[in-house]
């Protein structure tokens, strides 16, 4: 322990005040807060990078679903006899791309679950160390990331539902198309 002597002046009388302080206590608290700030920054970066990847992959998935919808609409409009063979090949290729994008998106959502857990721990330890501002900031970032992920999931789900309803309607309205779509689905499974 160190001994700190300071002079205090009160009513023109000098009094010496001896304060006891622990040599390392301020250093340890500072280092812990600094470490929690670094931890919060790393967790924030992980959330951001994962969120951007989810948004990008979701947009690419929705673009592919939209292309699939257009191809199915064209096939229904042209009928089985009027639809060129390369059109069916495009549909199979788009469905293969859809499969890959769905897999990638599922993986990214798993990453986000772990990133959220890591960020929550960073927020808790920051709060416990007295770094309230960093804790609040990461909590807001977690909330934003969760809301954004839910929006992306909903947008993709809505478009997938539209695609499924269109395919169902195409099968009901064009029994000859049913066999062709089934063959495409079998081909798609073989690609997996």
């Amino acid at each position: 322990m160190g001994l700190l002597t300071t002079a205090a002046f009160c009513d023109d009388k000098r009094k010496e005040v001896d304060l006891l302080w622990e040599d390392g206590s301020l250093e340890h608290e500072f280092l812990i807060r600094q470490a929690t700030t670094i931890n919060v920054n790393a967790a924030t970066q992980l959330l951001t990078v994962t969120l951007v990847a989810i948004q990008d992959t979701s947009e690419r998935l929705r673009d592919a679903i939209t292309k699939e919808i257009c191809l199915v609409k064209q096939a229904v409009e042209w009928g089985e006899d009027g639809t060129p063979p390369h059109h069916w090949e495009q549909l199979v290729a788009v469905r293969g791309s859809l499969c890959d994008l769905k897999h990638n998106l599922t993986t990214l959502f798993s990453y986000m679950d772990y990133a959220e857990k890591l960020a929550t721990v960073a927020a808790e330890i920051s709060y416990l160390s007295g770094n309230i501002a960093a804790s609040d900031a990461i909590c807001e970032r977690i909330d934003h990331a969760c809301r954004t992920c839910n929006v992306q999931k909903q947008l993709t789900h809505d478009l997938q539902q539209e695609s499924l309803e269109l395919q169902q309607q195409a099968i009901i309205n064009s029994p000859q198309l049913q066999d062709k779509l089934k063959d495409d689905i079998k081909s798609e499974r073989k690609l997996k």
Side-chain angles (χ1 to χ4, degrees), residues 17-189:
V17 179
D18 293 331
L19 298 174
L20 296 177
W21 60 283
E22 292 183 28
D23 192 19
S25 71
L26 295 177
E27 292 174 11
H28 294 307
E29 287 177 17
F30 172 77
L31 292 174
I32 289 171
R33 284 188 184 154
Q34 186 179 31
T36 60
T37 300
I38 291 168
N39 207 10
V40 165
N41 289 340
T44 301
Q45 183 180 10
L46 181 60
L47 281 173
T48 302
V49 168
T50 307
L51 185 59
V52 168
I54 286 172
Q55 289 174 312
D56 179 56
T57 305
S58 294
E59 288 173 15
R60 290 185 8 223
L61 177 60
R62 288 192 298 272
D63 288 345
I65 293 170
T66 301
K67 188 171 183 177
E68 178 190 41
I69 288 171
C70 289
L71 290 170
V72 171
K73 282 182 180 179
Q74 287 175 336
V76 168
E77 182 181 317
W78 296 336
E80 184 179 355
D81 296 332
T83 304
H86 74 276
H87 188 83
W88 298 114
E89 292 168 4
Q90 284 181 324
L91 188 57
V92 170
V94 166
R95 287 186 174 159
S97 174
L98 283 171
C99 183
D100 291 341
L101 288 167
K102 286 177 185 178
H103 173 74
N104 291 346
L105 193 57
T106 301
T107 302
L108 288 170
F109 280 124
S110 294
Y111 291 166
M112 182 55 80
D113 288 340
Y114 287 109
E116 181 184 348
K117 289 175 185 175
L118 179 66
T120 301
V121 169
E124 290 171 353
I125 199 159
S126 291
Y127 182 81
L128 292 173
S129 72
N131 199 348
I132 308 296
S135 178
D136 290 346
I138 191 75
C139 286
E140 288 175 17
R141 188 69 184 127
I142 292 167
D143 185 55
H144 170 72
C146 289
R147 282 193 322 269
T148 303
C149 284
N150 288 336
V151 167
Q152 294 299 320
K153 285 179 184 178
Q154 189 62 48
L155 290 171
T156 302
H157 178 265
D158 292 347
L159 198 56
Q160 285 175 324
Q161 283 302 115
E162 181 183 335
S163 176
L164 290 173
E165 289 170 9
L166 175 66
Q167 291 179 48
Q168 181 182 16
Q169 197 62 34
I171 290 169
I172 291 170
N173 292 337
S174 305
Q176 73 278 6
L177 194 59
Q178 181 177 3
D179 295 332
K180 189 67 177 169
L181 289 173
K182 283 182 182 178
D183 291 340
D184 288 347
I185 291 171
K186 287 179 185 175
S187 298
E188 181 182 322
R189 288 184 181 151

